[in-house]
Amino acid sequence: MNQKQLAGEKAADYIEDGMTVGLGTGSTVFYTIQKVGEAVKNGLRIKGVSTSASTTKLAQSLGIPLISIDDVDKIDLTIDGADEVDPNLNGIKGGGGALLFEKVVANASAKVIWVVDPAKKVQTLGKFPLPVEVIPFGAQRLFRYFEKQGLSPVIRDKENAPYVTDSGHYIIDLHLEEIREPEQLATWLDSLTGVVEHGLFLNGADLIVVGEAEGPEIIEKNRNS
């Protein structure tokens, strides 16, 4: 069993009967969703809230009942992946392009668990490019602005065309190498017209499950904050 699978399957243990569960997106949470599908076949009763078209397709193929985010008052637990996590449980997410829906679902959740492999643990965020989701109108203008600010932007592409998110937006990845003041950067990005969302998830997780070779490591927020 690989490290991603160890983390993903361990996180499924936190799901209880009757919960409304946010289902994240990515290669690690894929294993969580598979484990949930098995549990549903064995009688577990939950409702899932999907964070992407790919997760919706996977959940439906496994027989997991889904409900719209607009039809729930709150989500009991969301399990998702992350591209980087620092010791304060701040993270960068959005490598898979689902950052907007992931943040909407996370903000509606009573508890958030991230599942990661050990390589995602970092002391300082920023080595992984920071995704910034922008509307197509004026995207090149924002790109040039980021260039002038020295943020090394790259418009994410797919098959020689701009990558388009599930909500019809583009992503500009900022190659920053190091983010010393994530709160300040998040506030600044939030203030820019045309920016829909960014991949800084600050105070975003209550618990991290790390798929270590010797077994899953659990890191809780109160140990690090």
Side-chain angles (χ1 to χ4, degrees), residues 11 80 82 85 114 118 145 156 174 181 190 196 204 209:
D80 207 347
V85 184
W114 288 346
Y145 180 62
R156 191 179 298 186
L174 304 181
E181 297 178 327
D190 286 336
V196 180
V209 181

Side-chain angles (χ1 to χ4, degrees), residues 1-131:
M1 188 179 294
N2 64 41
Q3 292 168 325
K4 291 184 177 185
Q5 187 172 356
L6 281 169
E9 292 191 355
K10 176 62 179 176
D13 293 345
Y14 290 87
I15 298 173
E16 298 175 5
D17 198 63
M19 277 186 167
T20 298
V21 181
L23 302 174
T25 298
S27 58
T28 307
V29 78
F30 167 85
Y31 293 106
T32 306
I33 297 170
Q34 281 200 318
K35 190 79 178 289
V36 171
E38 291 173 12
V40 166
K41 286 179 182 175
N42 290 324
L44 178 70
R45 295 169 300 163
I46 65 160
K47 294 177 181 175
V49 178
S50 174
T51 56
S52 67
S54 60
T55 291
T56 296
K57 184 178 179 181
L58 175 61
Q60 289 174 337
S61 74
L62 296 169
I64 299 172
L66 296 179
I67 188 171
S68 166
I69 181 71
D70 291 318
D71 293 331
V72 300
D73 293 324
K74 76 176 178 68
I75 296 167
D76 297 296
L77 171 65
T78 286
I79 301 174
D80 207 347
D83 298 302
E84 281 187 344
V85 184
D86 74 10
N88 296 315
L89 304 198
N90 296 318
I92 287 179
K93 290 168 50 57
L99 62 154
L100 175 59
F101 291 0
E102 287 173 342
K103 196 170 279 191
V104 170
V105 170
N107 286 348
S109 302
K111 184 173 184 176
V112 175
I113 295 175
W114 288 346
V115 291
V116 298
D117 62 72
K120 306 296 175 62
K121 292 167 60 181
V122 298
Q123 284 301 308
T124 305
L125 299 176
K127 194 73 175 176
F128 190 91
L130 176 64

